[in-house]
Amino acid sequence: MEIKCNDKELFVFKKIAHAAAELGVPAYVIGGFVRDKLLGRATKDADIVCVGDGIQLAHKVAERFQPKPSVSFFKNFGTAQIKLKHFYEANFGEVHLIAENNGQEAVENLAEPAAEENGDVPHEKSALEIEFVGARKESYRYHSRNPEVLPGTLKDDQDRRDFTINAMAISLNEADYGTLIDPFNGLQDLERKIIQTPLDPDTTFSDDPLRMMRAVRFAAQLNFTIAPATFQSIKDHAERIRIISQERITEELNKILLSAKPSVGFDLLYQSGLLHIIFPQLVDLVGAEYIDGLGHKDNFYHTLQVVDNISRNTSDLWLRWAALLHDIGKPPTKKFEKGHGWTFHGHEVVGGRMVPRLFAKLKLPQNEKLRFVKKLVELHLRPISLTKENITDSAIRRLLFDAGDDIDSLMLLCEADITSKNKQKVIRFLENFELVRHRLREVEEKDRIRNWQPPITGEIIMDIFGLSPCKIVGDLKSSIREAILDGEIDNTYDAAYDFMMKKAAELGLNVVNKNATGN
């Protein structure tokens, strides 16, 4: 393996090296940047450790750019960060070099401005974020993951790293510039695709239990194997995860879900015992029960396959969450019916009700992301049911109305839900789904029902009949909507008005403003 940095990265590291030399502090690139460069993976952040004051080094480096980037620093932790904007989106030839008064070169228009008028610095997807910290050694109290931090050597800093593949460093010092410093054979573990701790795993995981989640996440992201002794230690210390904040745990869950094959991570979470603590509702899906020779599939591993299926077609985190939770309502609805077998009637409704509680517990967003996942869980059986009957325009209209702009995401989820090992069965299901897609396009082009609202609003109804908000208004509006969705009347104002007047007469309502239009 060799480290392949582009010209811009090398240019920036030279500037860091010069700044460190000026301060007289040894400096090194360490951790994830080194690992990912050796693996040929894209990276947009770099950690710099120096044997000295990391915040002072960050300020010294910032001075070598024009315009000077802001330095975000946390004095209590001894860390600092600068961000170089538009770093990866332009060719190096487009970067202009100018001379500063001290004769050093700087990268023009590559540094992040100090702040915008609103006080926020915009996030740049193509930015390079550089974090600086002084080398340190740490000691932990048993009931806290907040360490007591003391200044240390490079060796001390590498000793405290989570895994051997993250403990490698590259020197930025004149005497051995570019040398790989690898005291725990991390390079060998990269080649063997092994994740293990530099020191005793019991100490590593007891000190900082979040590292157990990180081990699983790296295994999922890199398609690596966790070393047996390291994995046994995770199993032994799984209960320690309880001292970690929910936000940190959920951050790791999201990263596992965004990996190329999330099932790797979730299976490891289950096998290690971590999932039983952080997400017991998923564990409830595990296993297949048999009565009178009749069983059901293991809904946990079915779910993992659905997540993998959908991950091949989308990088959308929330669609992946919908896949993970689509059958979450099966355990509480599971019943055995004599002579028929196992049923999960209404599991999509129950699952939809569980989503807000799970999102709240996991500290996931309480906004449109939650509503999106809840909707897909509730609707995930609807397209499947349309493959088992003659597809009427009414059924298609209702699906378009209920799914709205999320219909394409819903169809992706339903196709991912096909996990049969019978290839002919899979082909048949996919052909049926293609028929549903064709009918969806056909009805949408004709009726424009997606995100549609009935032409008669509640305001119009109240105005015409002199009503205040009440159940009758809602009932009339629902009757109009259902009549249009069922194809009983046309999707026009006149047709809806005539239908409303007929229903109003049945209810004994009198018109008080026949000219009302709701405008």
Side-chain angles (χ1 to χ4, degrees):
M1 291 185 178
E2 61 176 318
I3 298 175
K4 295 181 179 179
C5 295
N6 64 41
D7 289 344
K8 285 185 291 184
E9 291 165 341
L10 293 172
F11 186 81
V12 171
F13 289 146
K14 277 291 186 181
K15 298 177 79 58
I16 296 171
H18 292 154
E22 191 173 320
L23 290 174
V25 296
Y28 308 84
V29 188
I30 197 167
F33 184 92
V34 180
R35 177 199 69 226
D36 288 342
K37 283 298 177 182
L38 285 166
L39 290 173
R41 297 176 78 225
T43 182
K44 293 188 177 181
D45 54 74
D47 292 336
I48 307 298
V49 64
C50 67
V51 185
D53 189 331
I55 296 176
Q56 184 183 25
L57 176 59
H59 283 285
K60 199 71 174 176
V61 171
E63 291 172 1
R64 307 176 88 83
F65 292 94
Q66 183 178 332
K68 180 182 176 182
S70 60
V71 178
S72 302
F73 62 92
F74 304 91
K75 196 167 184 179
N76 289 343
F77 297 99
T79 64
Q81 184 190 79
I82 64 175
K83 182 163 66 174
L84 305 180
K85 68 173 186 175
H86 307 307
F87 190 82
Y88 287 103
E89 68 183 14
N91 293 323
F92 185 70
E94 297 172 354
V95 177
H96 303 288
L97 305 183
I98 61 173
E100 294 181 316
N101 291 335
N102 61 7
Q104 295 291 334
E105 290 181 319
V107 181
E108 186 180 23
N109 295 327
L110 200 60
E112 193 69 74
E116 291 194 331
E117 290 183 4
N118 63 6
D120 296 324
V121 175
H123 175 69
E124 292 284 355
K125 288 184 178 180
S126 63
L128 173 66
E129 296 183 2
I130 309 172
E131 184 163 311
F132 299 81
V133 65
R136 56 191 183 179
K137 53 186 174 182
E138 299 173 343
S139 60
Y140 289 81
R141 302 180 187 90
Y142 184 77
H143 293 292
S144 172
R145 70 175 296 264
N146 296 320
E148 180 182 346
V149 179
L150 297 171
T153 63
L154 174 64
K155 181 182 182 304
D156 290 329
D157 202 88
Q158 289 177 300
D159 285 349
R160 72 177 184 83
R161 298 278 162 172
D162 51 6
F163 308 112
T164 61
I165 61 173
N166 294 333
M168 294 179 287
I170 298 173
S171 173
L172 297 180
N173 307 303
E174 185 176 0
D176 57 354
Y177 185 87
T179 299
L180 179 67
I181 303 168
D182 183 16
F184 303 108
N185 296 316
L187 182 59
Q188 184 181 74
D189 285 346
L190 277 184
E191 293 170 339
R192 296 164 56 211
K193 298 188 174 183
I194 293 290
I195 293 171
Q196 59 182 330
T197 57
L199 303 178
D200 173 46
D202 290 343
T203 301
T204 298
F205 295 137
S206 180
D207 282 351
D208 184 355
L210 187 65
R211 289 168 174 167
M212 297 186 290
M213 293 282 296
R214 285 169 57 83
V216 171
R217 188 243 297 179
F218 284 125
Q221 287 179 330
L222 304 176
N223 195 24
F224 278 25
T225 299
I226 301 176
T230 300
F231 193 66
Q232 182 60 51
S233 182
I234 293 174
K235 294 165 74 173
D236 293 343
H237 293 85
E239 283 290 330
R240 289 280 287 155
I241 200 67
R242 296 185 189 276
I243 73 169
I244 302 298
S245 71
Q246 185 60 58
E247 290 84 355
R248 300 297 298 277
I249 291 171
T250 297
E251 182 182 358
E252 294 299 325
L253 284 175
N254 283 337
K255 289 177 179 178
I256 291 170
L257 259 182
L258 286 171
S259 61
K261 193 175 182 182
S263 65
V264 172
F266 281 95
D267 190 28
L268 286 171
L269 288 175
Y270 171 67
Q271 298 295 339
S272 67
L274 288 169
L275 198 65
H276 299 66
I277 301 167
I278 65 175
F279 210 149
Q281 295 83 359
L282 280 181
V283 177
D284 290 343
L285 291 166
V286 172
E289 192 173 349
Y290 286 83
I291 296 180
D292 297 338
L294 297 173
H296 60 83
K297 62 190 172 189
D298 186 310
N299 287 305
F300 176 69
Y301 286 103
H302 161 73
T303 292
L304 297 193
Q305 189 175 344
V306 174
V307 175
D308 283 351
N309 288 348
I310 209 159
S311 297
R312 285 193 285 268
N313 293 310
T314 180
S315 60
D316 186 296
L317 173 62
W318 306 107
L319 189 43
R320 295 183 183 204
W321 268 108
L324 187 68
L325 300 180
H326 81 285
D327 276 348
I328 202 70
K330 279 191 170 180
T333 59
K334 183 171 79 169
K335 290 183 180 178
F336 182 80
E337 296 181 359
K338 194 74 174 175
H340 177 73
W342 295 95
T343 65
F344 305 91
H345 296 312
H347 76 270
E348 74 281 11
V349 177
V350 173
R353 291 181 188 144
M354 292 173 68
V355 169
R357 298 196 298 271
L358 288 170
F359 265 52
K361 192 267 179 186
L362 295 170
K363 301 294 177 70
L364 287 164
Q366 303 293 300
N367 54 20
E368 72 279 357
K369 309 300 185 187
L370 162 61
R371 292 188 288 275
F372 170 79
V373 173
K374 182 175 184 291
K375 179 197 285 189
L376 262 60
V377 171
E378 291 172 337
L379 295 180
H380 79 273
L381 293 184
R382 289 273 292 278
I384 295 172
S385 68
L386 293 179
T387 67
K388 300 176 181 177
E389 60 185 47
N390 293 325
I391 306 174
T392 63
D393 282 5
S394 173
I396 294 293
R397 284 193 204 96
R398 289 180 179 280
L399 182 58
L400 283 166
F401 177 75
D402 291 338
D405 281 339
D406 298 320
I407 186 66
D408 294 329
S409 294
L410 178 62
M411 293 302 294
L412 277 177
L413 174 58
C414 291
E415 289 177 347
D417 202 10
I418 304 170
T419 61
S420 173
K421 294 180 180 178
N422 184 326
K423 291 184 178 180
Q424 292 304 314
K425 190 175 182 180
V426 171
I427 291 172
R428 187 169 66 253
F429 269 114
L430 291 176
E431 288 175 346
N432 288 339
F433 276 127
E434 191 53 43
L435 177 60
V436 174
R437 285 181 182 275
H438 174 75
R439 295 288 286 118
L440 286 168
R441 290 191 296 268
E442 190 176 70
V443 173
E444 171 64 9
E445 288 173 5
K446 183 176 67 173
D447 294 345
R448 300 296 174 189
I449 214 77
R450 188 188 300 199
N451 293 322
W452 162 83
Q453 292 298 322
I456 301 290
T457 66
E459 288 77 12
I460 293 174
I461 294 170
M462 289 188 288
D463 201 5
I464 289 175
F465 300 106
L467 297 171
S468 299
C470 61
K471 185 176 183 296
I472 291 175
V473 175
D475 289 345
L476 270 177
K477 186 178 176 183
S478 295
S479 295
I480 295 167
R481 182 187 68 234
E482 295 302 304
I484 293 173
L485 290 173
D486 284 337
E488 185 179 341
I489 63 175
D490 291 336
N491 183 19
T492 65
Y493 180 88
D494 289 342
Y497 183 88
D498 291 343
F499 180 85
M500 175 189 66
M501 297 306 292
K502 178 183 174 183
K503 287 291 182 182
E506 294 173 2
L507 295 171
L509 295 176
N510 296 315
V511 174
V512 298
N513 182 7
K514 64 173 59 178
N515 296 318
T517 62
N519 296 324

